[in-house]
């Protein structure tokens, strides 16, 4: 009943060590959660979107220009300092990434951390497949890994209890699901309520569950995208934190669409994690907003 093990990293270099403060927006990404129109209205790719009561999607070029203005940069930094009720400023904000497969989102988080854009330390990879590429990526980056084989446990709850102990031991502030293809029970959802997020390759609530890109192609939608949301007890049902639209072309296959959505995911996810690390995310009911 104890199929999981924590790999010791020994003398491997820790390439994801970071200071806890967020340096500012990532080039090419807006600094606010991006709503989709209610009822799944198409969102034109690359064009600003406005909705009543919601900010316009920022022009990606503007974000880059901001970085070139030192005064604006300073103001931005001041605005993103962790709040008193936010993450502790005296130690790095620590995240655990859960992955089951390739781990390209995990890699994007590693790269952002290394570049100083994440404001968080990737303290643990949790993986249910010992042969997954995500495990290789973690080893290469010197990130501690907890790998387990689900069928060696009596139940989902049983292995989640072991994972929970690993998370507590590692002092994890935020669980970041990145292609973790297993249902999660209250064993993890309850202690990490409001501190567990997932990325999904569609504009939720459309196309939850498996093969979201295939579902979108099959349905004939013209716009799909990526959603980052809080994890609750349901399947891809938690409050939405951020979304980005991706155009669907008539000739798209599910594989082609999934690949383009993943390009977007790799930009969006590190940005969202940086908001959490800076204590900027506020959840009220189902509504998520950002402290300025
Ligand atoms: C990502 O596209 C992620 O959105 C999806 O799995 C892929 C993992 O890719 N997750 C889901 O479908 C969850 N319902 P990666 O291993 O290369 O990051």
């Amino acid at each position: 009943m104890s199929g999981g093990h924590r790999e010791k990293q020994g003398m491997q270099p820790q390439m994801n060590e970071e200071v806890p403060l967020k340096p500012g927006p990532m080039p090419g990404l807006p600094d606010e959660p991006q709503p989709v129109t209610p009822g799944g209205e198409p969102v034109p790719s690359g064009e600003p979107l406005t909705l009543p009561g919601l900010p316009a999607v920022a022009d990606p070029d503007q974000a880059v220009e901001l970085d070139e203005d030192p005064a604006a940069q300073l103001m931005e930094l001041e605005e993103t300092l962790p709040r008193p009720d936010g993450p502790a400023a005296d130690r790095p904000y620590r995240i655990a990434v859960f992955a089951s497969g390739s781990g390209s989102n995990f890699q994007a988080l590693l790269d952002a951390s290394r570049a100083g854009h994440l404001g968080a330390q990737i303290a643990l990879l949790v993986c249910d497949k010992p042969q997954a590429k995500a495990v290789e990526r973690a080893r290469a980056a010197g990130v501690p890994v907890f790998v387990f084989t689900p069928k060696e446990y009596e139940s989902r709850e049983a292995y989640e209890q072991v994972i929970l102990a690993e998370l507590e031991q590692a002092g994890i502030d935020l669980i970041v699901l990145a292609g973790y293809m297993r249902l999660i029970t209250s064993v993890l959802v309850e202690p990490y309520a409001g501190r567990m997020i997932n990325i999904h390759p569609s504009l939720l609530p459309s196309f939850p569950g498996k093969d979201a890109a295939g579902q979108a192609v099959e349905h004939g939608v013209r716009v799909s995208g990526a959603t980052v949301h809080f994890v609750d007890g349901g399947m891809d049902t938690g409050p939405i934190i951020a979304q980005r639209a991706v155009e669907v072309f008539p000739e798209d296959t599910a594989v082609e669409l999934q690949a383009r959505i993943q390009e977007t995911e790799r930009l969006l996810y590190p940005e969202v994690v940086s908001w959490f690390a800076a204590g900027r995310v506020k959840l009220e009911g189902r509504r998520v907003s950002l402290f300025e």
Side-chain angles (χ1 to χ4, degrees), residues 101-106 178-179 181 198-201 209 236 258 262 265:
S102 154
S104 69
N105 276 288
F106 173 50
M181 297 306 191
N198 180 43
I199 192 158
H200 182 78
D236 301 324
Q258 173 70 11
Q262 281 189 296
E265 289 183 335

Side-chain angles (χ1 to χ4, degrees), residues 14 20 24 57 65-66 100 104-105 109 147 212 226 249 260 265 282:
Q14 291 290 325
V57 174
E65 277 169 25
L66 257 186
S100 298
S104 69
N105 276 288
L109 292 163
V147 279
F249 302 121
R260 284 207 314 287
E265 289 183 335
K282 189 165 127 194

